[in-house]
Amino acid sequence: MEGVVMHAIETTEDETAAAQRAPGARAPGRRLTRLRSASGSLPVLAALTGAGAGVGSIVFRWCIGGFTRLFSGHDDYAAAPGSANPHVPWLGPFFVLLAPVLGGLLYGPLVHRFAKEARGHGVPEVMLAVAQRGGRISPKVAVVKTLASALTIGSGGSVGREGPIVQIGSALGSTLGRVARVTEGQMRLLVACGAAGGIAATFNAPLAGVFFAMELILGTFTAEAFGATVLASVTASVIGRAAFGDVAFLALPGFHVDHLAQYGLFAVLGVLAAAVGVGFSRVLYLIEDACDWLWRGPEWLRPAVGGLALGLVLLALPEMYGVGYPVLQKATEGGYAVGFLLLLLAGKMLATSLTIGIGGSGGVFAPSLFIGAMLGAAYGAGAHALLPGTAGAVRAYALVGMGAVFAGAARAPITAVVILFELTGEYSIILPLMLAIVLATATSRLLSRDTVYTLKLRRRGIDLEGPAPGAPLGTQRVGAVMEPLPSPLPSSTPLTDAADLLGLSGHGALPVVDDTGAYGGVVTAQAVAEALAEQPQTAPTRVGQLAQRPSPVTTDQFVGQALHTLLSAGGTGVPVLDDAHEKPVGWLSHQNVLRALHSGAV
């Protein structure tokens, strides 16, 4: 073994010397030094990205406040719905008819001319950049998104500020990565750091920022990603707290679950919240389609003309003006009747969908919290009326409804649990919150293939789990690149024999069949080696005890999608199943995919 290692070292040194002698060649040592340098600087870049996101969130919220006072004459018009604008008192409450029009005249041309990707709620564009564009986001998005979203919210647009700050922070991270010339993987990580920092600073929720970035933006959990996003989130939170103070998003009195039957009520609320969250997604894009169908003029004018329709909604229901946090707070305190809560729920769906549909810029996270609070408060009031001695406090249902509707719409359960805990500072809500959110997530998966974020991309023909458009493996099917199925191992094969067969097979894994010949899963060389290293009393003895079923890969699946399964399987290879997912008909590995690509077969 030592001789093999020494030979490898000598060979590497010879190749390095040869490369250095070649004219115009770059020394591998320099490349290695640069890579090590980039890897070592990642914590610094993550902290800088967090600092940029923190400052960006301050500027963004300052812009929202300034434009809100300019267009409405109030710090937050939702706190005084129906009142007149002191700048134009003679208009009374009818000024809301003009505010969205004036705002649209400003942000419509801005977005159309400088950054069309700043339109909408922002998070899907960041997810796409990470999944298929190497984390590349134009730096001008940060500036345009800040102004456009602040103008949209300030002039009455019923959207949130989380989507914009995620896109702003991500654009800053991407720009910093481009300046530092980091690798593509590190660029994606810096984009996620920007998203984490933006969420952390805006909502004073550092943990939620970390999990939002990993669960929704990166879609993976690794030690490196966790460390980098934590650095960014902490840095942004420190800056945000210096500017906004260290206070919880909602100030609520403590409560606790008094009766075990309440958990059953929370479970039902979770299922209902999933239906409402999925319904919100459908309404959002249904109204956007209607706006696309109706509008035939220039895109830069669309927000202003559509602002007339939004103004009518605001005139009828002024609580929809802006983000609406004062209304949400009042609902959690039991300040509205059940009928009005349901009206606010429907109104928020309509106002948010219309704001996005006419070309406005803003997030859907805060609207989903708003909708969830209305649903939860109405549900809690109904439960309390029917079961006064069992239901418990109404405000508990409002808080659980907030997290459950977001989980139903975005399908991000960890983020939903953590962010509701941080936004409220109430640990007593954790158990019912976790129960409702898990049920909401599972029910949402049954009701819809997509989330409120991925549906926007799928409508444009983009599948985040598939290959990027134009990629060399973009349109090929697994059946075109797979190789013949290796000889399977019977499930009764002793581990010592399996080790020999795996070593001779040339594969890092082999399929397993039971006594009847039915497919039983895959056994890897690593699993066999680990089992043989255990104590004889506790170690498995047969291959069937180690076989596991990877996610199914079928012949008609895109290669880009199958590569995700290959990665999760450790890259050792996976069987290709028939359409019924019962019988293996081939074998897929990284090697044969690359071999087929090189030979031109794909």
Side-chain angles (χ1 to χ4, degrees):
M1 184 67 180
E2 183 179 356
V4 173
V5 173
M6 291 304 299
H7 174 71
I9 294 174
E10 291 169 0
T11 302
T12 303
E13 290 175 347
D14 292 342
E15 291 175 349
T16 302
Q20 290 173 337
R21 289 193 299 269
R26 293 183 179 180
R30 292 181 181 177
R31 288 200 300 271
L32 290 174
T33 301
R34 187 167 63 250
L35 288 175
R36 292 192 190 101
S37 175
S39 178
S41 65
L42 184 60
V44 176
L45 294 175
L48 288 174
T49 300
V55 173
S57 70
I58 295 173
V59 173
F60 180 50
R61 288 182 61 172
W62 178 82
C63 289
I64 291 175
F67 288 134
T68 300
R69 286 187 289 273
L70 175 65
F71 285 104
S72 72
H74 297 78
D75 291 334
D76 193 335
Y77 186 70
S83 59
N85 184 338
H87 300 320
V88 282
W90 49 274
L91 280 176
F94 291 93
F95 81 92
V96 296
L97 290 173
L98 299 178
V101 176
L102 296 175
L105 285 173
L106 294 174
Y107 70 77
L110 177 69
V111 171
H112 183 73
R113 172 66 179 84
F114 294 104
K116 292 183 176 64
E117 59 268 43
R119 174 184 170 183
H121 44 103
V123 175
E125 283 72 21
V126 177
M127 295 168 69
L128 177 62
V130 168
Q132 297 185 354
R133 295 177 181 170
R136 292 181 292 275
I137 303 175
S138 173
K140 62 185 178 183
V141 170
V143 177
V144 175
K145 191 72 175 180
T146 298
L147 293 174
S149 296
L151 283 166
T152 299
I153 296 171
S155 61
S158 192
V159 285
R161 60 191 186 213
E162 104 293 339
I165 195 57
V166 165
Q167 199 170 9
I168 292 165
S170 297
L172 292 173
S174 179
T175 302
L176 183 61
R178 191 179 293 110
V179 171
R181 297 182 179 180
V182 299
T183 64
E184 189 172 288
Q186 292 171 334
M187 178 83 82
R188 292 190 178 98
L189 196 48
L190 288 177
V191 169
C193 288
I199 291 289
T202 300
F203 295 106
N204 188 22
L207 272 178
V210 171
F211 286 107
F212 183 94
M214 292 199 296
E215 193 172 21
L216 285 172
I217 304 301
L218 290 176
T220 184
F221 291 82
T222 64
E224 183 183 31
F226 183 78
T229 52
V230 163
L231 278 173
S233 186
V234 168
T235 305
S237 291
V238 170
I239 294 174
R241 289 178 180 183
F244 309 127
D246 184 11
V247 293
F249 172 73
L250 293 175
L252 298 167
F255 64 89
H256 58 277
V257 177
D258 299 313
H259 200 288
L260 289 178
Q262 291 178 26
Y263 286 104
L265 295 173
F266 286 120
V268 174
L269 176 58
V271 175
L272 289 176
V276 171
V278 172
F280 174 46
S281 302
R282 301 285 172 82
V283 170
L284 177 68
Y285 294 110
L286 182 65
I287 292 181
E288 186 172 355
D289 285 341
C291 292
D292 291 340
W293 181 77
L294 288 171
W295 181 247
R296 293 292 181 269
E299 281 301 310
W300 64 267
L301 190 58
R302 177 169 164 168
V305 176
L308 288 171
L310 178 60
L312 290 172
V313 174
L314 297 177
L315 184 63
L317 204 59
E319 288 83 359
M320 297 298 103
Y321 196 106
V323 182
Y325 288 144
V327 181
L328 188 154
Q329 173 82 48
K330 189 173 180 179
T332 60
E333 295 170 349
Y336 299 117
V338 173
F340 192 65
L341 287 168
L342 296 177
L343 178 62
L344 291 173
L345 186 155
K348 194 65 173 182
M349 283 191 182
L350 174 62
T352 299
S353 302
L354 192 56
T355 302
I356 299 294
I358 64 175
S361 177
V364 295
F365 170 72
S368 69
L369 293 185
F370 186 103
I371 292 168
M374 303 306 123
L375 173 69
Y379 178 87
H384 193 271
L386 293 174
L387 303 168
T390 303
V394 173
R395 60 182 177 273
Y397 296 92
L399 291 180
V400 170
M402 289 166 63
V405 168
F406 171 68
R411 213 170 295 157
I414 300 176
T415 302
V417 171
V418 173
I419 202 165
L420 257 295
F421 167 62
E422 287 195 291
L423 292 184
T424 61
E426 273 295 328
Y427 183 76
S428 57
I429 196 69
I430 283 293
L431 289 182
L433 186 66
M434 291 171 64
L435 174 64
I437 283 175
V438 167
L439 289 174
T441 303
T443 306
S444 172
R445 196 177 299 277
L446 293 175
L447 294 175
S448 175
R449 176 184 179 185
D450 289 296
T451 70
V452 69
Y453 297 128
T454 60
L455 184 56
K456 178 178 181 179
L457 298 174
R458 193 176 298 280
R459 284 159 45 87
R460 288 158 49 186
I462 299 171
D463 184 358
L464 290 180
E465 296 181 354
L473 294 175
T475 59
Q476 295 73 22
R477 305 287 179 176
V478 169
V481 303
M482 69 181 186
E483 62 185 50
L485 185 71
S487 298
L489 296 175
S491 59
S492 58
T493 305
L495 293 188
T496 52
D497 295 342
D500 294 335
L501 293 171
L502 280 163
L504 295 172
S505 69
H507 297 282
L510 286 174
V512 176
V513 294
D514 61 18
D515 296 337
T516 64
Y519 170 62
V522 173
V523 64
T524 65
Q526 179 182 357
V528 171
E530 290 175 351
L532 289 173
E534 294 179 11
Q535 293 293 332
Q537 294 84 358
T538 59
T541 59
R542 304 290 176 181
V543 164
Q545 297 172 270
L546 298 177
Q548 294 184 342
R549 281 179 174 260
S551 300
V553 173
T554 58
T555 55
D556 62 345
Q557 198 172 1
F558 286 116
V559 171
Q561 294 173 312
L563 288 176
H564 290 281
T565 303
L566 265 179
L567 181 62
S568 62
T572 55
V574 292
V576 180
L577 306 181
D578 58 12
D579 293 337
H581 295 186
E582 294 179 356
K583 180 181 178 182
V585 296
W587 189 260
L588 184 71
S589 66
H590 285 110
Q591 289 88 344
N592 65 272
V593 170
L594 293 175
R595 192 181 305 118
L597 178 63
H598 177 69
S599 64
V602 298

